[in-house]
Amino acid sequence: METQNKSQKRNKIIYWIFTLWMALGMVSTAGVQLLKNKDEIENFTSLGYPIYLMTIIGVWKILGVFAVLIPKYPLLKEWAYAGFFFVMSGAVISHVISDHNLGKILPGLLLLVLTIISWYFRPADRKIV
């Protein structure tokens, strides 16, 4: 029983560290997108995406962070995690296909990995049973 409690405590710590890191990354990149940062506009257009997509993705990232962090609503959390997975895997794939360097690929890859780890270690009360 004691080992199970230690494991649950460890998993909860891992969950919160990676979730807060993911949330910070999503909010900061959403801010850059919503403020139409010059470098981000160049990044988006170099991938062939329209600038208005920055607003859509930025708003959805912020809403997703709220969904993941608020208590309850496990179905909403699953949708948010799925959205983060699709957006970040799409970003990584887009950069790889466009022959961008590792410096452009790594931020999206990091957020993708943080999303997966956060989802995997989420506590039982944040899962659909």
Side-chain angles (χ1 to χ4, degrees), residues 9-117:
K9 185 177 180 175
R10 177 189 59 100
N11 287 355
K12 199 172 209 172
I13 291 169
I14 291 169
Y15 167 77
W16 279 110
I17 288 170
F18 283 88
T19 300
L20 292 174
W21 194 10
M22 175 197 71
L24 179 63
M26 292 295 178
V27 168
S28 65
T29 56
V32 167
Q33 290 163 341
L34 291 172
L35 294 172
K36 304 288 190 281
N37 175 278
K38 183 182 138 204
D39 292 335
E40 190 66 8
I41 289 174
E42 185 180 310
N43 193 28
F44 254 67
T45 55
S46 74
L47 294 170
Y49 295 120
I51 295 172
Y52 69 82
L53 189 60
M54 292 171 58
T55 303
I56 296 168
I57 291 174
V59 168
W60 281 112
K61 281 181 180 179
I62 290 172
L63 292 174
V65 166
F66 281 124
V68 168
L69 293 179
I70 62 173
K72 300 180 184 174
Y73 308 106
L75 182 59
L76 188 60
K77 291 178 191 327
E78 289 297 317
W79 279 93
Y81 278 117
F84 288 157
F85 180 84
F86 297 140
V87 167
M88 300 323 302
S89 63
V92 170
I93 292 166
S94 295
H95 285 295
V96 168
I97 289 172
S98 297
D99 271 342
H100 287 172
N101 63 32
L102 200 55
K104 295 235 182 197
I105 298 169
L106 280 179
L109 185 60
L110 174 62
L111 282 172
L112 178 61
V113 169
L114 293 173
T115 297
I116 293 168
I117 293 171

